[in-house]
Amino acid sequence: MLPKEYQDHILRRSPYQNHREYRLYDDDVLVIYVRKQTQLYLRFVEVTDHKNLHDDSN
């Protein structure tokens, strides 16, 4: 689990439904990823910012 300042949370809308997101650099960078609970496995999906994030994501 990440520290609270990263604001890690689940995304609920397409195209990132059930992905997770955390924030870096005072919310300037968003990291979208998938985490599997059964393994130590992360798949990074996208690194972006709010300005460039797809309109239909959370």
Side-chain angles (χ1 to χ4, degrees):
M1 179 166 244
L2 293 171
K4 282 189 174 190
E5 60 264 19
Y6 290 102
Q7 301 178 24
D8 184 36
H9 60 281
I10 294 175
L11 300 174
R12 307 232 182 253
R13 295 185 192 162
S14 289
Y16 299 114
Q17 186 173 10
N18 297 322
H19 288 61
R20 297 191 67 85
E21 172 192 287
Y22 67 86
R23 300 167 184 186
L24 300 173
Y25 305 112
D26 294 326
D27 204 27
D28 288 339
V29 176
L30 307 176
V31 178
I32 300 170
Y33 71 99
V34 175
R35 178 177 67 192
K36 291 195 175 187
Q37 296 293 334
T38 58
Q39 305 172 18
L40 290 176
Y41 172 81
L42 290 178
R43 180 172 60 95
F44 289 93
V45 176
E46 185 168 352
V47 176
T48 189
D49 59 20
H50 276 119
K51 181 178 177 184
N52 294 308
L53 192 64
H54 301 292
D55 290 339
D56 57 353
S57 65
N58 189 4

XYZ file of all heavy atoms in Angstrom:
514
model
N 0.844 -1.186 0.000
C 0.000 0.000 0.000
C 0.888 1.247 0.000
O 1.881 1.312 0.707
C -0.919 -0.031 1.203
C -1.808 1.175 1.293
S -3.116 0.910 2.469
C -4.472 0.993 1.361
N 0.481 2.225 -0.789
C 1.245 3.466 -0.890
C 0.874 4.430 0.237
O -0.251 4.399 0.733
C 0.953 4.141 -2.231
C 1.439 3.410 -3.463
C 0.888 4.075 -4.718
C 2.949 3.399 -3.506
N 1.786 5.312 0.600
C 1.456 6.340 1.594
C 0.304 7.233 1.098
O 0.098 7.400 -0.114
C 2.747 7.150 1.718
C 3.824 6.235 1.244
C 3.187 5.360 0.206
N -0.446 7.812 2.013
C -1.625 8.621 1.669
C -1.337 9.768 0.718
O -2.175 10.132 -0.101
C -2.264 9.183 2.937
C -3.085 8.189 3.666
C -3.845 8.861 4.778
C -4.790 7.862 5.408
N -5.710 8.489 6.323
N -0.155 10.352 0.796
C 0.131 11.507 -0.055
C 0.119 11.175 -1.555
O 0.011 12.055 -2.392
C 1.453 12.190 0.320
C 2.660 11.301 0.203
C 3.058 10.663 1.524
O 2.247 10.594 2.459
O 4.203 10.218 1.611
N 0.188 9.886 -1.905
C 0.101 9.486 -3.305
C -1.339 9.394 -3.806
O -1.579 9.264 -4.991
C 0.793 8.145 -3.530
C 2.292 8.224 -3.399
C 2.933 7.790 -2.246
C 3.066 8.741 -4.427
C 4.311 7.864 -2.117
C 4.440 8.822 -4.314
C 5.047 8.386 -3.151
O 6.404 8.468 -3.038
N -2.291 9.406 -2.910
C -3.719 9.365 -3.248
C -4.075 8.177 -4.141
O -4.829 8.313 -5.112
C -4.149 10.678 -3.893
C -3.911 11.875 -3.015
C -4.299 13.169 -3.679
O -5.128 13.199 -4.581
N -3.704 14.257 -3.235
N -3.537 7.030 -3.833
C -3.815 5.814 -4.593
C -5.300 5.472 -4.495
O -5.882 5.485 -3.412
C -2.962 4.677 -4.022
C -3.104 3.393 -4.789
O -3.244 3.441 -6.022
O -3.055 2.335 -4.146
N -5.925 5.169 -5.643
C -7.343 4.835 -5.643
C -7.704 4.033 -6.890
O -6.963 4.007 -7.862
C -8.204 6.099 -5.547
C -7.990 7.055 -6.668
N -6.919 7.914 -6.735
C -8.720 7.268 -7.787
C -7.001 8.619 -7.842
N -8.071 8.249 -8.502
N -8.861 3.394 -6.832
C -9.381 2.600 -7.945
C -10.113 3.522 -8.913
O -10.869 4.398 -8.495
C -10.344 1.510 -7.435
C -9.579 0.496 -6.588
C -11.048 0.814 -8.598
C -10.462 -0.542 -5.951
N -9.915 3.292 -10.200
C -10.650 4.016 -11.231
C -11.891 3.214 -11.597
O -11.850 1.987 -11.668
C -9.765 4.232 -12.461
C -8.503 5.039 -12.192
C -7.624 5.073 -13.431
C -8.848 6.450 -11.737
N -12.986 3.892 -11.839
C -14.265 3.201 -12.011
C -14.879 3.354 -13.403
O -15.895 2.762 -13.695
C -15.258 3.705 -10.974
C -14.713 3.612 -9.568
C -15.670 2.897 -8.677
N -15.158 2.853 -7.314
C -14.676 1.768 -6.748
N -14.631 0.651 -7.424
N -14.239 1.795 -5.518
N -14.270 4.165 -14.252
C -14.846 4.395 -15.580
C -13.922 3.882 -16.679
O -12.715 3.839 -16.513
C -15.066 5.889 -15.793
C -16.087 6.475 -14.856
C -16.344 7.916 -15.205
N -17.109 8.563 -14.159
C -17.193 9.854 -14.014
N -16.552 10.659 -14.837
N -17.906 10.376 -13.047
N -14.519 3.556 -17.825
C -13.754 3.132 -18.999
C -12.895 4.284 -19.475
O -13.292 5.431 -19.316
C -14.696 2.721 -20.120
O -15.332 1.523 -19.811
N -11.784 4.035 -20.035
C -11.208 2.733 -20.356
C -10.370 2.141 -19.217
O -9.713 1.131 -19.402
C -10.315 3.045 -21.550
C -9.823 4.423 -21.277
C -10.980 5.125 -20.592
N -10.398 2.755 -18.050
C -9.530 2.325 -16.946
C -10.288 1.684 -15.787
O -9.803 1.658 -14.676
C -8.720 3.513 -16.429
C -7.837 4.111 -17.470
C -8.055 5.393 -17.939
C -6.786 3.377 -18.019
C -7.249 5.941 -18.917
C -5.978 3.914 -18.996
C -6.217 5.200 -19.439
O -5.418 5.733 -20.401
N -11.448 1.161 -16.044
C -12.228 0.525 -14.986
C -11.412 -0.586 -14.326
O -10.784 -1.391 -15.003
C -13.516 -0.039 -15.571
C -14.452 -0.580 -14.538
C -15.791 -0.968 -15.149
O -15.955 -1.002 -16.354
N -16.738 -1.264 -14.303
N -11.395 -0.568 -12.994
C -10.671 -1.542 -12.164
C -9.153 -1.399 -12.220
O -8.438 -2.249 -11.717
C -11.084 -2.978 -12.477
C -12.546 -3.202 -12.154
O -13.056 -2.690 -11.164
N -13.229 -3.940 -12.992
N -8.661 -0.354 -12.839
C -7.247 -0.014 -12.750
C -7.075 0.863 -11.516
O -8.041 1.322 -10.916
C -6.802 0.769 -13.982
C -6.717 -0.046 -15.223
N -7.796 -0.688 -15.786
C -5.673 -0.309 -16.020
C -7.418 -1.311 -16.868
N -6.131 -1.102 -17.044
N -5.852 1.116 -11.149
C -5.560 1.999 -10.024
C -4.760 3.189 -10.531
O -4.154 3.122 -11.592
C -4.795 1.252 -8.941
C -5.614 0.098 -8.346
C -4.974 -0.472 -7.113
N -4.986 0.468 -6.008
C -5.997 0.635 -5.152
N -7.094 -0.071 -5.297
N -5.906 1.499 -4.172
N -4.787 4.255 -9.740
C -4.051 5.454 -10.098
C -3.422 6.034 -8.834
O -4.021 6.000 -7.769
C -5.019 6.486 -10.687
C -4.398 7.841 -10.927
C -5.457 8.874 -11.220
O -6.024 8.831 -12.319
O -5.707 9.720 -10.339
N -2.199 6.530 -8.985
C -1.620 7.334 -7.919
C -0.976 8.565 -8.523
O -0.778 8.645 -9.732
C -0.655 6.537 -7.032
C 0.620 6.072 -7.666
C 1.737 6.887 -7.713
C 0.721 4.789 -8.185
C 2.925 6.443 -8.271
C 1.900 4.336 -8.746
C 2.996 5.175 -8.781
O 4.165 4.737 -9.333
N -0.692 9.536 -7.677
C -0.258 10.847 -8.148
C 1.132 11.178 -7.642
O 1.485 10.845 -6.523
C -1.249 11.900 -7.681
C -2.617 11.605 -8.243
C -3.683 12.391 -7.607
N -4.977 11.948 -8.173
C -6.100 12.521 -7.903
N -6.146 13.554 -7.106
N -7.206 12.069 -8.441
N 1.881 11.847 -8.501
C 3.233 12.288 -8.164
C 3.358 13.781 -8.417
O 2.627 14.342 -9.234
C 4.256 11.557 -9.035
C 4.304 10.046 -8.936
C 5.246 9.491 -9.989
C 4.754 9.628 -7.559
N 4.305 14.381 -7.777
C 4.634 15.797 -8.019
C 3.426 16.710 -7.882
O 3.037 17.416 -8.805
C 5.303 15.983 -9.385
C 6.515 15.130 -9.565
C 6.517 14.083 -10.474
C 7.663 15.342 -8.801
C 7.634 13.278 -10.630
C 8.777 14.542 -8.947
C 8.755 13.518 -9.855
O 9.845 12.720 -10.007
N 2.813 16.658 -6.720
C 1.674 17.545 -6.431
C 0.570 17.454 -7.477
O 0.052 18.457 -7.950
C 2.135 18.993 -6.289
C 3.032 19.195 -5.086
O 2.813 18.506 -4.076
O 3.948 20.022 -5.166
N 0.248 16.239 -7.871
C -0.851 15.971 -8.797
C -0.520 16.308 -10.245
O -1.390 16.328 -11.106
C -2.114 16.717 -8.347
C -3.389 16.073 -8.849
O -3.388 14.860 -9.089
O -4.376 16.790 -8.999
N 0.730 16.577 -10.555
C 1.123 16.882 -11.933
C 1.261 15.631 -12.788
O 1.123 15.692 -14.006
C 2.452 17.636 -11.973
C 2.313 19.060 -11.477
O 1.185 19.582 -11.481
O 3.329 19.642 -11.079
N 1.564 14.507 -12.175
C 1.767 13.253 -12.904
C 0.849 12.189 -12.316
O 0.825 11.977 -11.108
C 3.239 12.782 -12.802
C 3.415 11.435 -13.484
C 4.176 13.823 -13.382
N 0.096 11.525 -13.175
C -0.785 10.435 -12.768
C -0.200 9.133 -13.291
O 0.145 9.039 -14.459
C -2.180 10.622 -13.356
C -2.847 11.971 -13.106
C -4.171 12.019 -13.844
C -3.017 12.226 -11.639
N -0.110 8.133 -12.439
C 0.378 6.813 -12.838
C -0.797 5.848 -12.745
O -1.380 5.679 -11.676
C 1.540 6.344 -11.941
C 2.002 4.952 -12.353
C 2.685 7.344 -11.971
N -1.150 5.249 -13.855
C -2.262 4.304 -13.914
C -1.675 2.908 -14.035
O -0.812 2.659 -14.865
C -3.174 4.631 -15.109
C -3.728 6.049 -14.945
C -4.295 3.601 -15.233
C -4.448 6.568 -16.152
N -2.175 1.999 -13.186
C -1.586 0.666 -13.153
C -2.614 -0.378 -12.753
O -3.710 -0.058 -12.292
C -0.386 0.645 -12.202
C -0.734 0.758 -10.737
C -0.784 -0.378 -9.937
C -1.016 1.987 -10.155
C -1.098 -0.287 -8.599
C -1.324 2.086 -8.819
C -1.372 0.949 -8.043
O -1.698 1.037 -6.719
N -2.258 -1.634 -12.950
C -3.055 -2.781 -12.529
C -2.238 -3.549 -11.509
O -1.048 -3.786 -11.711
C -3.391 -3.697 -13.732
C -4.105 -4.952 -13.279
C -4.210 -2.946 -14.757
N -2.879 -3.940 -10.437
C -2.204 -4.713 -9.394
C -2.953 -6.025 -9.201
O -4.166 -6.033 -9.059
C -2.214 -3.921 -8.084
C -1.562 -4.674 -6.945
C -1.530 -3.834 -5.705
N -2.886 -3.617 -5.223
C -3.195 -2.727 -4.293
N -2.280 -1.961 -3.764
N -4.439 -2.597 -3.884
N -2.218 -7.122 -9.209
C -2.816 -8.429 -8.944
C -2.542 -8.787 -7.497
O -1.393 -8.796 -7.065
C -2.242 -9.488 -9.873
C -2.660 -9.298 -11.302
C -2.391 -10.535 -12.107
C -2.938 -10.316 -13.495
N -2.876 -11.518 -14.285
N -3.588 -9.105 -6.770
C -3.475 -9.388 -5.344
C -2.752 -10.699 -5.049
O -2.105 -10.825 -4.032
C -4.870 -9.431 -4.704
C -5.595 -8.124 -4.758
C -4.952 -7.053 -3.892
O -4.276 -7.338 -2.916
N -5.161 -5.810 -4.260
N -2.857 -11.644 -5.940
C -2.300 -12.965 -5.659
C -0.799 -13.052 -5.886
O -0.169 -14.016 -5.498
C -2.989 -14.033 -6.531
O -2.806 -13.682 -7.889
C -4.455 -14.129 -6.196
N -0.228 -12.042 -6.539
C 1.190 -12.048 -6.871
C 1.780 -10.673 -6.609
O 1.067 -9.691 -6.514
C 1.403 -12.351 -8.347
C 0.774 -13.609 -8.836
C 0.892 -13.702 -10.355
O 1.693 -13.037 -10.971
N 0.072 -14.530 -10.952
N 3.081 -10.619 -6.534
C 3.757 -9.328 -6.536
C 3.934 -8.919 -7.988
O 4.929 -9.212 -8.630
C 5.112 -9.428 -5.832
C 5.059 -9.631 -4.342
C 6.466 -9.820 -3.787
C 4.395 -8.436 -3.677
N 2.907 -8.283 -8.531
C 2.865 -7.974 -9.951
C 2.184 -6.628 -10.159
O 1.085 -6.408 -9.659
C 2.074 -9.069 -10.681
C 1.796 -8.785 -12.126
C 2.764 -9.024 -13.093
C 0.568 -8.291 -12.533
C 2.515 -8.768 -14.426
C 0.310 -8.028 -13.864
C 1.286 -8.268 -14.807
O 1.033 -8.013 -16.125
N 2.842 -5.742 -10.862
C 2.246 -4.476 -11.278
C 2.427 -4.339 -12.780
O 3.499 -4.611 -13.297
C 2.927 -3.275 -10.616
C 2.732 -3.067 -9.145
C 3.531 -1.858 -8.693
C 1.272 -2.880 -8.807
N 1.393 -3.903 -13.449
C 1.498 -3.595 -14.872
C 1.153 -2.119 -15.038
O 0.012 -1.711 -14.835
C 0.542 -4.430 -15.707
C 0.645 -4.116 -17.204
C -0.165 -5.081 -18.052
N -1.560 -5.068 -17.732
C -2.483 -4.337 -18.373
N -2.129 -3.553 -19.370
N -3.744 -4.394 -18.028
N 2.148 -1.327 -15.364
C 1.914 0.092 -15.552
C 1.254 0.306 -16.900
O 1.720 -0.182 -17.921
C 3.217 0.879 -15.445
C 3.709 0.914 -14.033
C 4.598 -0.021 -13.561
C 3.236 1.879 -13.158
C 5.029 -0.007 -12.251
C 3.663 1.911 -11.840
C 4.561 0.976 -11.394
N 0.183 1.058 -16.883
C -0.636 1.236 -18.068
C -0.360 2.575 -18.733
O -0.222 2.659 -19.945
C -2.132 1.111 -17.702
C -3.008 1.389 -18.907
C -2.420 -0.262 -17.120
N -0.261 3.632 -17.934
C -0.074 4.955 -18.515
C 0.467 5.903 -17.454
O 0.116 5.812 -16.289
C -1.416 5.484 -19.026
C -1.319 6.783 -19.759
C -2.602 7.140 -20.501
O -3.523 6.319 -20.567
O -2.647 8.259 -21.007
N 1.325 6.814 -17.896
C 1.773 7.929 -17.068
C 1.332 9.180 -17.802
O 1.669 9.377 -18.964
C 3.302 7.923 -16.859
C 3.750 9.137 -16.070
C 3.736 6.648 -16.152
N 0.537 10.016 -17.146
C -0.062 11.163 -17.812
C -0.312 12.274 -16.802
O 0.157 12.209 -15.672
C -1.368 10.735 -18.528
O -1.829 11.818 -19.338
C -2.435 10.288 -17.576
N -1.057 13.282 -17.196
C -1.512 14.321 -16.280
C -3.004 14.539 -16.519
O -3.581 13.979 -17.451
C -0.716 15.619 -16.444
C -0.799 16.201 -17.842
O -1.731 15.859 -18.595
O 0.067 17.002 -18.176
N -3.638 15.329 -15.670
C -5.084 15.528 -15.827
C -5.437 16.188 -17.158
O -6.464 15.889 -17.752
C -5.640 16.362 -14.665
C -5.943 15.542 -13.467
N -5.325 15.741 -12.270
C -6.776 14.500 -13.282
C -5.778 14.873 -11.402
N -6.655 14.099 -11.983
N -4.598 17.055 -17.632
C -4.879 17.744 -18.888
C -4.931 16.772 -20.067
O -5.738 16.924 -20.969
C -3.786 18.790 -19.143
C -3.996 19.584 -20.400
C -2.897 20.618 -20.556
C -3.068 21.361 -21.869
N -1.957 22.287 -22.081
N -4.088 15.746 -20.050
C -4.009 14.795 -21.164
C -4.733 13.487 -20.921
O -4.750 12.633 -21.797
C -2.536 14.514 -21.483
C -1.856 15.748 -22.014
O -2.330 16.384 -22.942
N -0.758 16.112 -21.394
N -5.333 13.324 -19.776
C -6.070 12.098 -19.467
C -7.302 12.008 -20.356
O -7.960 13.009 -20.630
C -6.489 12.095 -17.990
C -7.022 10.801 -17.428
C -5.944 9.724 -17.456
C -7.493 11.017 -16.006
N -7.636 10.822 -20.810
C -8.809 10.640 -21.686
C -10.060 11.183 -21.015
O -10.269 11.004 -19.830
C -9.002 9.162 -22.019
C -7.820 8.568 -22.703
N -7.452 8.926 -23.972
C -6.920 7.652 -22.295
C -6.363 8.235 -24.313
N -6.040 7.469 -23.312
N -10.906 11.791 -21.780
C -12.121 12.422 -21.259
C -13.056 11.443 -20.563
O -13.780 11.813 -19.654
C -12.901 13.081 -22.394
C -12.176 14.298 -22.934
O -11.318 14.849 -22.223
O -12.482 14.666 -24.072
N -13.053 10.184 -20.961
C -14.019 9.237 -20.386
C -13.439 8.432 -19.229
O -14.051 7.485 -18.767
C -14.540 8.292 -21.463
C -13.440 7.522 -22.166
O -12.248 7.809 -21.923
O -13.772 6.647 -22.960
N -12.296 8.797 -18.692
C -11.744 8.102 -17.520
C -12.092 8.859 -16.254
O -12.571 9.976 -16.290
C -10.236 7.934 -17.657
O -9.621 9.185 -17.648
N -11.813 8.235 -15.123
C -12.143 8.804 -13.812
C -11.072 9.774 -13.363
O -9.931 9.555 -13.363
C -12.316 7.679 -12.809
C -12.864 8.140 -11.506
O -13.199 9.308 -11.319
N -12.973 7.192 -10.611
